[in-house]
Amino acid sequence: MPALNDLLADDSSSGRHLLVLTDARGEILWRVGSPEVLRRADRLEFSEGADWSEAGIGTNAISEALVTGRPVQLFSAEHLVRTHHEWACTAAPITDPATGRLLGVLDVSGPLDTISADTLRMVRCAVRVAESLLGTPDGGAALGASVPVRASRRAARRPVAAVESLELLGDKPAAVFRDGSRVPLTLRRAEILSLLDSRSQGWSAEELAYELYGDAGTTAAIRTEMFRVRSMLGEAVESNPYRLVAGLAGSSDSGRVLRLLREGQVADALESYRAPLLSRSGALAVQLLRDQLDLALGSAVRSSGDAGLLARWLSTDMGAADFEAVEALGRLVGRGDARYLAFRASAGG
């Protein structure tokens, strides 16, 4: 990758093409490009972990290189999928110089006006360089050690012990590591992790696809996201089925709230419940988890017989509309109490 990056990649702000490397099955391992090109590729699921073989997504330059074993260029409607018609792609297979075995495919893709016949010559040249490196005694490892892979998008895998907890409450989800670092999560990955955190027996790719995308969900989209999650969190997520490993399950901030409630520590649970679960998520499955958390804490607070806890609960965004809690407070402090009257007005009673 360092050599290929130097030859073909352009991850500058003005870069317009994408450099992609797949394995022998057509699964994308690395991609390098500008932020804008990467965003456009994301919309096509042209990203790490995606299957770009003929069976995975239909005719494209990568699949043609896999099938024919030769360099190939495809333009516009030569791609099977209509949404790819604005792209042109150039791909060539990389083989083991000792055995001739197919190892993967090198691809350069971009908008139609960014690819030319020169691109095909450049890709073929880069493949020869890659195969020459593979033919050296160390397989090119010395070059890899001396030249940083500055544009590789694949995150370094962290050991599972480094993952300490997940922050899923509020609108800025993140993974927290034992060294104190905090890595932000995209909303979709946070939604997946919130589902994994909610069920110890795990989820299949089909179940996650349905829960998060409905009938339009595909297992390919889930597997792509899970590839990214596992690249970020190391082996913290198991597969078949997908689930958090022992020790991480229930370690999220939302899981802590539920754990404290089960232990009867209502005041501590209320203190820990600082914001709704993934407040920006509109996924029905996440909304149900959010409602369950509200119901569990609200019920515990109402049953506590503690006016202070009731007032604190009613002061939060999650408890502000809990009219039953307002009435429970009124029975404790009297219906003429200013606190009761203020919360009753806020709750619309």
Side-chain angles (χ1 to χ4, degrees):
M1 279 303 295
L4 296 177
N5 177 73
D6 288 342
L7 284 169
L8 291 177
D10 185 358
D11 61 349
S12 67
S13 59
S14 59
R16 301 191 62 212
H17 70 264
L18 192 66
L19 172 66
V20 173
L21 187 67
T22 81
D23 66 10
R25 297 172 300 175
E27 179 177 323
I28 297 175
L29 302 178
W30 286 277
R31 60 177 192 162
V32 184
S34 69
E36 175 57 30
V37 170
L38 290 170
R39 281 193 292 270
R40 292 185 64 177
D42 283 341
R43 292 196 287 270
L44 304 178
E45 294 187 10
F46 197 17
S47 55
E48 295 94 334
D51 179 3
W52 275 63
S53 67
E54 183 76 26
I57 203 162
T59 302
N60 65 89
I62 292 171
S63 70
E64 287 292 288
L66 289 172
V67 171
T68 66
R70 297 192 300 271
V72 62
Q73 276 190 312
L74 262 65
F75 294 88
S76 188
E78 291 178 310
H79 295 87
L80 175 67
V81 180
R82 185 179 298 275
T83 53
H84 302 170
H85 289 185
E86 295 180 359
W87 287 65
C89 303
T90 303
I94 298 176
T95 59
D96 186 324
T99 66
R101 181 171 61 91
L102 177 68
L103 299 178
V105 171
L106 178 65
D107 173 84
V108 171
S109 295
L112 288 172
D113 62 348
T114 65
I115 308 297
S116 67
D118 287 336
T119 309
L120 182 58
R121 285 191 286 271
M122 292 170 63
V123 169
R124 294 176 69 174
C125 177
V127 166
R128 285 197 292 270
V129 170
E131 291 176 344
S132 296
L133 288 172
L134 290 169
T136 61
D138 64 356
L143 179 63
S146 62
V147 183
V149 190
R150 61 179 180 272
S152 175
R153 299 277 294 180
R154 190 173 185 178
R157 288 185 178 270
R158 296 173 180 259
V160 63
V163 184
E164 184 169 67
S165 63
L166 300 171
E167 294 180 355
L168 301 176
L169 298 179
D171 60 358
K172 296 179 180 179
V176 180
F177 296 87
R178 294 192 190 282
D179 62 5
S181 61
R182 182 179 180 278
V183 179
L185 296 167
T186 65
L187 181 58
R188 180 60 77 200
R189 292 169 206 169
E191 289 170 338
I192 290 173
L193 288 169
S194 70
L195 290 177
L196 298 186
D197 191 49
S198 72
R199 197 161 88 176
S200 59
Q201 67 265 37
W203 302 74
S204 67
E206 291 79 7
E207 289 174 323
L208 288 173
Y210 180 77
E211 292 292 341
L212 294 174
Y213 297 97
D215 291 332
T218 64
T219 57
I222 292 298
R223 292 192 178 105
T224 297
E225 289 295 349
M226 293 309 302
F227 175 87
R228 293 166 174 169
V229 168
R230 298 185 78 188
S231 294
M232 179 186 298
L233 302 184
E235 302 304 322
V237 178
E238 297 178 344
S239 57
N240 298 320
Y242 293 119
R243 58 186 172 190
L244 298 178
V245 296
L248 186 60
S251 67
S252 67
D253 47 7
S254 56
R256 171 179 166 78
V257 173
L258 290 173
R259 186 170 62 255
L260 289 170
L261 286 176
R262 295 188 190 105
E263 295 171 354
Q265 302 180 52
V266 180
D268 290 338
L270 181 55
E271 182 69 25
S272 298
Y273 194 28
R274 55 181 178 79
L277 176 67
L278 297 181
S279 52
R280 291 188 293 114
S281 175
L284 179 59
V286 174
Q287 290 177 13
L288 291 173
L289 292 176
R290 189 186 301 144
D291 291 345
Q292 290 170 7
L293 200 55
D294 285 350
L295 179 61
L297 189 53
S299 298
V301 170
R302 291 193 299 271
S303 300
S304 68
D306 187 318
L309 285 181
L310 283 164
R312 283 169 54 195
W313 168 241
L314 290 167
S315 298
T316 67
D317 291 340
M318 298 77 77
D322 189 344
F323 191 73
E324 290 183 44
V326 173
E327 292 304 302
L329 178 64
R331 289 191 293 272
L332 289 171
V333 302
R335 300 187 183 279
D337 188 275
R339 290 170 294 175
Y340 166 75
L341 295 173
F343 287 127
R344 190 171 187 274
S346 301

